[in-house]
Amino acid sequence: MVTYPEIFEMLRREKYSEKLQELGKNFLEDVALYLSEKKALLERERQERPKFFDETVEKTKKQLENAKAMLRELFTIRERKIVELALVASKTGISKGEMKTMLDSERGLFEAVLKKIQECEENLITIIEGIQKIEDENLLVKFTEPVEKFVDLNGNEVGPFKEKDVVNLPKKLAETLIKVNKA
């Protein structure tokens, strides 16, 4: 079973270490047992003691509240580290040692975050490749003289353009305008 000083020590180690700390296989069960025993003790103390202020009851109550707060902070720190690990893993992969220190529920978080990061990266790559394709199909030209409105190869009206206008045009059209010294 976990004790109050052990929870404090686990929080301290997690806080001051960059790596995810080993909590133990039955950590969550031990914490649940500790909290339920503290609650039961608190209830027993309240029933056995008179209704007026009792230092023992207050001390137990405060210890229970502090333990819960420390556990929330512990898991918040661990969640941040797991998100950071998922980001690193999306770029480089993750070592088995890092996975070994995660609780089962944390592995689920890690895998979900990693999957979402990979999906976002794939979407970005698709967008970048799409932009590259547009850039490959078009050419940026600067007009050297005014050009009246005309119809392009697809039957769309283009122009008019003034001298020194800079326009992104389909590559074949741009090359034709360059060839006839208009751009």
Side-chain angles (χ1 to χ4, degrees):
M1 184 174 91
V2 175
T3 64
Y4 184 83
E6 288 172 342
I7 293 172
F8 180 81
E9 180 59 24
M10 286 176 195
L11 173 60
R12 188 191 66 73
R13 279 196 333 253
E14 198 71 57
K15 226 183 218 185
Y16 297 108
S17 173
E18 288 186 29
K19 290 189 174 242
L20 204 57
Q21 299 299 297
E22 181 75 40
L23 292 180
K25 206 168 197 169
N26 298 323
F27 179 73
L28 293 178
E29 293 85 2
D30 291 345
V31 164
L33 180 63
Y34 169 79
L35 294 175
S36 67
E37 285 182 3
K38 276 292 179 190
K39 285 179 190 175
L41 177 65
L42 184 60
E43 285 305 312
R44 247 190 345 267
E45 287 175 351
R46 282 183 178 157
Q47 290 174 358
E48 293 172 3
R49 309 266 189 227
K51 296 287 183 194
F52 61 89
F53 178 78
D54 185 3
E55 200 174 302
T56 309
V57 171
E58 287 302 311
K59 182 180 176 186
T60 304
K61 182 180 173 186
K62 192 65 175 169
Q63 196 175 54
L64 182 61
E65 289 171 0
N66 287 344
K68 288 178 181 178
M70 286 189 298
L71 288 165
R72 275 192 293 277
E73 186 177 358
L74 173 70
F75 286 110
T76 299
I77 292 167
R78 290 179 67 83
E79 287 166 355
R80 179 187 47 79
K81 288 180 179 182
I82 289 167
V83 169
E84 289 173 359
L85 279 171
L87 185 60
V88 169
S90 73
K91 308 289 185 236
T92 62
I94 184 166
S95 71
K96 294 291 181 195
E98 295 291 349
M99 291 291 284
K100 201 169 70 175
T101 59
M102 291 181 199
L103 301 172
D104 291 339
S105 59
E106 292 173 333
R107 276 190 203 97
L109 171 65
F110 172 80
E111 289 167 2
V113 170
L114 178 60
K115 181 179 178 186
K116 198 64 177 168
I117 290 171
Q118 289 170 337
E119 286 173 9
C120 288
E121 288 174 352
E122 288 171 12
N123 288 341
L124 285 173
I125 289 169
T126 302
I127 290 168
I128 291 169
E129 287 173 351
I131 290 170
Q132 185 64 46
K133 184 178 178 188
I134 290 170
E135 289 174 351
D136 290 346
E137 293 173 355
N138 290 341
L139 192 60
L140 194 62
V141 294
K142 180 178 179 183
F143 284 88
T144 56
E145 59 182 74
V147 174
E148 296 296 320
K149 190 185 300 187
F150 62 93
V151 177
D152 70 5
L153 301 171
N154 296 325
N156 301 319
E157 287 189 4
V158 181
F161 300 106
K162 294 181 254 166
E163 185 179 348
K164 296 186 181 178
D165 279 354
V166 177
V167 183
N168 197 15
L169 295 172
K171 205 170 201 169
K172 287 183 180 181
L173 179 60
E175 288 171 348
T176 304
L177 288 167
I178 292 169
K179 205 180 265 187
V180 294
N181 294 323
K182 299 274 185 186

